[in-house]
Amino acid sequence: MTDRAWLALGRIPGLGPIRQRALLERFGAVDRCFQTGASALQGLGLQAAQIAALQKAPEDVLTPADRRWLESPDTDLCRWTDSDYPPLLRHISDPPLLLYLRGQRACLNQAMLAIVGSRSPTASGVATAEAFARNLGGAGLIISSGLALGIDAAAHRGALDSGTVAVLGTGADLIYPRNHLQLARQIAGQGLILSEQPPDTGPRSGLFPRRNRIISGLSLGVLVVEAAEGSGSLITARLAMEQGREVFAIPGSIHSPLSRGPHRLIRDGSKLVESAEDVLSELGPLYAVLRDGQAIAPAADWQPEDPVQARVWAAMEFDPLAPEQIANRCGLTLTELSAILLDMELQGYLAACPGGRFCRLPPAS
């Protein structure tokens, strides 16, 4: 019954990831969240309709689209409790508890870079996005994007041979825009399509900004190729900064409105890039090395042998912290801490994040 319970949890109206996780923590397993007395659901901030739905059996909450999803041999689920839930995504502020998948599940735990940009790019922008995706994919990175018109589609096309992940704002069974159906089939065959939205969820404006946090959350960094002021790509870039990811921008003509987004990002401290090598040189220290397409990260049980490094490690989090915060927690001066952070970063145990902050790297799964 567990998969039915997971899908049913995703069908509770207005129940987002934070309250879903609160339910799981209270009851210990997704099956136990259902057919529960109202008194056991108190204190979770649930609405009457949500409490009523949770008092039902999961089967009574599912829709026909959910049942079709469960019966299809071409679909899959990645649950919060699965060992291969993407480690970078797990540590954003509101990770989805359930991902609906179509395609190659193994892509979830490979090192990714997001490429995003304008829905109405220039021919040069399209060519640039395809070339960067092809070269970065050839270097071992999976390219993630949102399957939108323009730069997103170009990035996916450029990375078809090496692997690409499309994060949808609709259900994973509905492709939007519809003229990307063939591209979506190619992605599912050689990469992965995923969504946090239940099956048969159509396009709604509020869902696309929400999915952007997943694009950036899955990825080591975000590369912006052509974006006007106010573009959704800049939302993805902002979310990436908040998540401690690297943000890269390709400059353009000062006369083009599509250069304003990347130029603003560069003014605000994002990395100006002119080649795939510029991106790779920045990501190298962030994830240590890429070997055979696999990210090298600390083992799950790793502990520093050096006692001072152990104090620093204990003070760190997966969310980025300023050096001042770390120094206060472990009782070191900033001068002492600086050398230790550099050494641990070079060993591949910490990542340098935007704004001069540092975070732990997720353990190898």
Side-chain angles (χ1 to χ4, degrees):
M1 183 177 75
T2 299
D3 280 350
R4 293 182 180 274
W6 276 110
L7 265 72
L9 190 66
R11 284 292 178 188
I12 306 298
L15 194 67
I18 293 174
R19 286 203 171 91
Q20 288 175 345
R21 190 160 47 175
L23 280 166
L24 280 179
E25 290 171 354
R26 173 165 293 190
F27 295 105
V30 66
D31 293 327
R32 297 181 196 144
C33 296
F34 289 90
Q35 296 178 284
T36 302
S39 60
L41 297 168
Q42 298 302 314
L44 293 174
L46 300 176
Q47 300 170 2
Q50 295 167 341
I51 291 174
L54 289 165
Q55 291 178 294
K56 298 178 181 178
E59 184 64 36
D60 297 331
V61 179
L62 297 181
T63 68
D66 294 325
R67 297 186 182 95
R68 288 194 297 271
W69 184 273
L70 289 168
E71 293 164 2
S72 172
D74 301 320
T75 60
D76 201 356
L77 300 171
C78 182
R79 309 151 198 84
W80 177 252
T81 52
D82 288 347
S83 61
D84 64 345
Y85 187 98
L88 289 177
L89 187 64
R90 189 182 290 279
H91 295 289
I92 69 172
S93 62
D94 56 344
L97 268 69
L98 184 64
L99 295 171
Y100 300 83
L101 311 178
R102 289 173 50 207
Q104 311 307 309
R105 185 185 183 110
C107 291
L108 282 176
N109 279 277
Q110 296 185 50
M112 294 189 210
L113 179 88
I115 299 180
V116 297
S118 172
R119 285 178 167 82
S120 303
T122 65
S124 174
V126 169
T128 296
E130 286 193 17
F132 268 80
R134 184 166 51 252
N135 291 332
L136 291 166
L141 289 165
I142 298 291
I143 301 301
S144 61
S145 199
L147 200 64
L149 295 169
I151 295 299
D152 285 22
H156 290 307
R157 286 195 301 269
L160 279 174
D161 289 340
S162 54
T164 182
V165 172
V167 184
L168 306 189
T170 61
D173 57 335
L174 295 179
I175 300 304
Y176 178 84
R178 298 293 291 173
N179 59 352
H180 281 172
L181 276 171
Q182 179 58 31
L183 178 58
R185 291 190 191 100
Q186 292 175 295
I187 293 171
Q190 297 165 262
L192 181 66
I193 289 174
L194 69 83
S195 176
E196 70 172 325
Q197 300 303 327
D200 206 32
T201 300
R204 300 199 299 270
S205 60
L207 298 181
F208 292 95
R210 287 281 299 161
R211 77 77 201 269
N212 290 351
R213 84 192 195 286
I214 300 177
I215 295 174
S216 57
L218 286 166
S219 305
L220 297 171
V222 173
L223 172 63
V224 179
V225 183
E226 293 192 339
E229 289 282 5
S231 164
S233 305
L234 300 186
I235 296 175
T236 308
R238 175 180 57 79
L239 291 167
M241 293 177 189
E242 292 173 358
Q243 294 164 353
R245 309 297 192 254
E246 294 287 346
V247 177
F248 306 96
I250 297 177
S253 168
I254 61 171
H255 304 293
S256 171
L258 295 178
S259 298
R260 290 175 186 161
H263 289 180
R264 193 183 89 192
L265 290 172
I266 292 166
R267 284 197 302 273
D268 291 344
S270 298
K271 307 293 191 306
L272 184 156
V273 298
E274 298 174 312
S275 68
E277 288 70 27
D278 292 338
V279 176
L280 294 169
S281 67
E282 289 292 334
L283 291 182
L286 180 65
Y287 222 70
V289 294
L290 291 173
R291 182 179 299 150
D292 300 327
Q294 295 297 316
I296 307 303
D301 59 353
W302 182 80
Q303 290 292 330
E305 295 180 5
D306 180 85
V308 180
Q309 283 195 2
R311 282 162 55 196
V312 173
W313 180 254
M316 299 291 294
E317 299 176 4
F318 291 106
D319 290 329
L321 295 174
E324 292 81 3
Q325 294 174 284
I326 304 168
N328 288 337
R329 290 182 179 188
C330 57
L332 296 172
T333 67
L334 285 174
T335 302
E336 293 169 329
L337 179 65
S338 178
I340 295 167
L341 290 175
L342 177 60
D343 187 36
M344 294 177 74
E345 181 188 354
L346 291 174
Q347 292 179 64
Y349 298 121
L350 303 180
C353 304
R357 298 174 297 168
F358 292 84
C359 66
R360 283 187 181 188
L361 284 173
S365 56

